[in-house]
Amino acid sequence: MRVLVATAVLVERDAVAAAFAPSPAREYAIPGATLSRVTPAEGGPVVLDLLAAGVGPAAAAAATAAALTAAALDEQPSGPYDLVVSAGIGGGFQPEAPVGSLVLADEITAADLGAETADGFVPVTELGFGAVTHRPPKSLVRAVAAVTGARTGAVLTVNTVTGSADRAAELRRRHPGALAEAMEGFGVAEAAAAHGVPVLELRAVSNPVGPRDRAAWRIGDALAALTGAFGKLAPALESWNPHDRTQ
């Protein structure tokens, strides 16, 4: 199984790669980006290509699409990808997703793609355009949650990180099933959907969603949790049939 893992920044990519030490990553270039290839320490059929795609949904979509296109055109070894994973740290809605916990998306939703009206926010779907949600395969979500201990719920993609209690409350009102917010998942999912590849989003919670208090952030703890999660991921991926798109 070939898996593309898209993070926003290098420190997140390196946290994922750390789960596969001591095997060194092999790096190779695609247009506009570099992929780092790792395999589980115990071997097996899973191969992961790690991509630091950039911050925000547009950068994430562009870099992910480039990697998927290169694979589809056989410009990479081993052929197309079976799965795309958006991974990294993010904010957790309290108290359901405490700092240091893992959140696995059962839906990946663009929280602010739409229009402001006199009656409040209207998602782009209600304007008659596009989509705002992608849903990972339920069977894979169950398998990954079982091995990682991640909480499952909606992960919101935002263009602006929440920095106030009012904004956090508004997001929770509109998305009562939300556990976390981040900035790339929907972009990664859009690229994956365009190529017909299933997608996951896995986030380690580094801070509460709400008033911006850097003293309350635990980035190191979240990165360590991300490493731990990927260290447990291979058995769930090996046992999952990539043709099972059960929803």
Side-chain angles (χ1 to χ4, degrees), residues 110-129 131-132 159 167 170 173-175:
D112 48 16
L113 182 60
E116 291 290 345
T117 74
D119 296 321
F121 177 81
V122 176
V124 72
T125 48
E126 294 186 19
L127 302 174
F129 304 104
V132 294
N159 284 281
R167 170 67 172 167
E170 172 65 11
R173 184 188 67 78
R174 292 193 342 235
H175 306 281

Side-chain angles (χ1 to χ4, degrees), residues 19 24 29 31 37 60 64 75 94 108-109 118 132 142 156 158 173 177 181 183 185-186 194 196 212 219 225 229 236:
R37 177 162 294 180
T64 302
E75 294 177 10
Q94 305 302 303
I108 301 167
T109 295
V132 294
R142 288 193 298 268
L156 306 182
V158 296
R173 184 188 67 78
E181 70 167 23
M183 301 181 74
F186 185 77
R212 191 171 175 82
I219 292 176

Side-chain angles (χ1 to χ4, degrees), residues 4-225:
L4 176 65
V5 180
T7 68
V9 295
L10 289 173
V11 69
E12 293 170 318
R13 184 204 67 181
D14 292 346
V16 174
F20 304 96
S23 300
R26 284 176 46 206
E27 294 195 344
Y28 57 98
I30 60 170
T34 299
L35 294 173
S36 299
R37 177 162 294 180
V38 296
T39 56
E42 66 276 11
V46 177
V47 175
L48 298 95
D49 287 342
L50 312 183
L51 170 67
V55 175
T64 302
L68 289 166
T69 299
L73 294 175
D74 204 28
E75 294 177 10
Q76 300 175 19
S78 308
Y81 291 104
D82 301 297
L83 175 69
V84 179
V85 182
S86 177
I89 63 176
F93 288 96
Q94 305 302 303
E96 294 87 351
V99 172
S101 66
L102 295 167
V103 173
L104 181 65
D106 58 13
E107 68 174 58
I108 301 167
T109 295
D112 48 16
L113 182 60
E116 291 290 345
T117 74
D119 296 321
F121 177 81
V122 176
V124 72
T125 48
E126 294 186 19
L127 302 174
F129 304 104
V132 294
T133 295
H134 292 277
R135 290 182 172 82
K138 290 183 179 181
S139 58
L140 184 56
V141 170
R142 288 193 298 268
V144 172
V147 298
T148 62
R151 295 162 167 81
T152 59
V155 176
L156 306 182
T157 300
V158 296
N159 284 281
T160 302
V161 173
T162 299
S164 70
D166 287 347
R167 170 67 172 167
E170 172 65 11
L171 288 175
R172 289 302 298 269
R173 184 188 67 78
R174 292 193 342 235
H175 306 281
L179 291 184
E181 70 167 23
M183 301 181 74
E184 293 78 33
F186 185 77
V188 172
E190 285 278 276
H195 283 262
V197 181
V199 67
L200 285 181
E201 183 170 10
L202 179 62
R203 294 284 167 181
V205 177
S206 59
N207 58 279
V209 175
R212 191 171 175 82
D213 177 12
R214 291 298 297 270
W217 290 19
R218 298 291 182 268
I219 292 176
D221 292 344
L223 292 172

